[in-house]
Amino acid sequence: MRILVVEDNEGIAAGLRANLTQRGYAVDICTSVADAWHALGTARFDAVLLDLGLPDGDGSDIVRRLRAVRHRPGSARPGLDALPDPATPVLILTARDQIHERVAGLNLGADDYLVKPFDMDELEARLRAMMRRAAGQASPVIHYGALEIDPAAHTVRQGGRLVETSPREFAVLWALVQARGRVLSRQQIEEHLYNWGDAVESNAVEVYVHHLRKKLGQRSIVTMRGVGYFLPLEPA
């Protein structure tokens, strides 16, 4: 899962990146409204952690602009001028603790609001709940055929049997499960695995898919040659 952190305090941003990376997330950092809006138009994120007090404006402007995006067929072109996804979940992280400020942030379209200082376990729990709601999932444990996936514990079970996966293998499987039968290209899967600063090996996705097939069965992940990978709608 890929997270955009919009925070101009270097210490807080570095702490969030270190903690979330350790917990299996890919994390990108922006320090201004302008940079964050550019990032949202050039990549897809599973969630945004948003500070309000930014050097070139208020973070609430990002929420307002994001929720106002209206996609028209063919209107978003690939590249720097692509439109952000207006449904991207946003969690406001701020020192502003007044009730009216929380209400205002939520009324603008933020999905949740957490006051600094915060506990990382609570932050991650709120992140997971926010992304579950965005995906229309009520249960914290996802069932897909014989698979049982727990994003909180980062565990995978198949027919009740625990399947050991590395953090990157889990991230690949989670991306494919979230796609629910749609084909994901290698680039789309890489976006769930790496942030901007990471070096991406040319065959990394293929290697992770190979490992998952060995653990879950050769028919668990289907290759559409020249296009990408998907999980069968009726997993074998």
Side-chain angles (χ1 to χ4, degrees):
M1 289 166 279
R2 189 173 182 183
I3 308 298
L4 177 64
V5 173
V6 186
E7 170 63 68
D8 66 326
N9 182 298
E10 291 184 7
I12 294 175
L16 284 168
R17 169 176 274 171
N19 273 282
L20 290 171
T21 299
Q22 188 176 29
R23 294 166 187 247
Y25 297 87
V27 181
D28 293 302
I29 305 291
C30 287
T31 59
S32 68
V33 171
D35 286 347
W37 191 250
H38 173 79
L40 288 165
T42 55
R44 288 292 177 262
F45 295 93
D46 294 289
V48 179
L49 301 182
L50 176 65
D51 184 27
L52 294 180
L54 298 168
D56 61 340
D58 197 282
S60 61
D61 292 337
I62 295 174
V63 182
R64 184 182 297 106
R65 292 175 65 187
L66 185 63
R67 299 307 184 226
V69 169
R70 294 291 183 270
H71 282 302
R72 298 184 304 275
S75 65
R77 300 187 298 262
L80 299 182
D81 59 351
L83 292 172
D85 181 356
T88 305
V90 177
L91 170 57
I92 291 176
L93 294 177
T94 180
R96 302 177 190 176
D97 59 355
Q98 297 298 309
I99 294 296
H100 73 274
E101 291 173 317
R102 301 186 197 186
V103 171
L106 294 170
N107 283 342
L108 276 176
D111 298 88
D112 204 349
Y113 195 109
L114 190 58
V115 176
K116 301 174 182 175
F118 49 83
D119 180 83
M120 278 302 302
D121 288 338
E122 181 183 3
L123 170 62
E124 191 188 11
R126 287 174 180 265
L127 259 179
R128 290 194 303 267
M130 197 168 65
M131 290 188 285
R132 282 201 308 273
R133 291 194 297 269
Q137 298 162 350
S139 172
V141 177
I142 308 303
H143 296 271
Y144 192 90
L147 296 178
E148 182 180 295
I149 301 172
D150 186 342
H154 278 225
T155 57
V156 178
R157 293 183 181 275
Q158 186 180 46
R161 174 182 61 89
L162 182 65
V163 179
E164 298 289 345
T165 59
S166 71
R168 288 277 166 83
E169 290 166 3
F170 183 91
V172 170
L173 181 62
W174 179 248
L176 292 170
V177 167
Q178 292 291 88
R180 296 274 174 182
R182 290 184 293 109
V183 178
L184 294 184
S185 68
R186 185 178 72 180
Q187 181 180 354
Q188 287 174 315
I189 296 174
E190 287 173 348
E191 288 178 354
H192 287 267
L193 302 179
Y194 302 101
N195 58 40
W196 292 319
D198 287 340
V200 182
E201 297 179 16
S202 60
N203 67 334
V205 170
E206 287 84 352
V207 170
Y208 297 134
V209 168
H210 172 72
H211 290 166
L212 286 169
R213 282 174 174 156
K214 288 181 66 176
K215 296 174 180 181
L216 301 174
Q218 291 301 313
R219 297 173 59 193
S220 59
I221 301 174
V222 178
T223 301
M224 184 172 287
R225 295 196 180 278
V227 182
Y229 303 93
F230 68 96
L231 293 182
L233 290 175
E234 297 293 337

